[in-house]
Amino acid sequence: MYPYRYYPNPYPVYRPEDVYPPVEIDIFQQSLSTSQSLLQHGMTLINGFSSEAFIQQFMNAAQAGKREEVHRIIQTIGVPIDIETSFNPSGITFTLRDNQNDSPCCRLKLYLTWGRSFR
């Protein structure tokens, strides 16, 4: 066994006190408001899948890899913002983003399962 020796640091470490700026809630309040809007749009999207015929048409287009058709079908639901979609055999992800500001603050991701996972 090797003897352990303590060697003091020859260079002292000076750490300034943690200084944070005053709390400003404006940006957070804006994010909360935008998130409420995104949640409402998400509910509109989910409620748009109310008929079995619509779901069948949507899933057939996705299974065939027809991305433009999937996008067109989603647009018929009437959500006024852009919705990014990605899908695979086990599910679909919808991403709703705040496009009204120059710097988007928020996004809502919805993942819906529609098949068995291949793990």
Side-chain angles (χ1 to χ4, degrees):
M1 220 177 190
Y2 299 106
Y4 291 102
R5 293 192 178 150
Y6 172 73
Y7 296 100
N9 185 354
Y11 307 103
V13 177
Y14 295 103
R15 196 175 136 205
E17 294 294 322
D18 290 334
V19 179
Y20 295 102
V23 172
E24 294 182 21
I25 64 171
D26 297 340
I27 293 174
F28 187 61
Q29 285 178 320
Q30 179 184 354
S31 294
L32 290 169
S33 175
T34 302
S35 295
Q36 287 177 337
S37 173
L38 289 174
L39 286 168
Q40 289 173 350
H41 293 316
M43 284 302 299
T44 301
L45 175 66
I46 289 171
N47 291 335
F49 289 95
S50 58
S51 78
E52 288 184 20
F54 185 83
I55 294 170
Q56 188 77 33
Q57 178 188 15
F58 177 76
M59 289 182 70
N60 282 334
Q63 185 172 347
K66 298 178 180 177
R67 294 195 179 277
E68 289 91 21
E69 179 69 7
V70 168
H71 186 66
R72 186 196 65 73
I73 293 169
I74 291 171
Q75 286 181 324
T76 66
I77 294 174
V79 178
I81 60 173
D82 289 334
I83 300 171
E84 180 184 316
T85 58
S86 62
F87 48 87
N88 58 41
S90 56
I92 187 162
T93 302
F94 298 106
T95 304
L96 292 78
R97 297 179 194 271
D98 170 39
N99 295 336
Q100 296 178 3
N101 300 326
D102 291 335
S103 59
C105 72
C106 312
R107 69 178 168 198
L108 174 66
K109 274 194 170 189
L110 300 170
Y111 177 76
L112 303 171
T113 302
W114 62 23
R116 292 203 169 118
S117 175
F118 295 103
R119 293 183 190 202

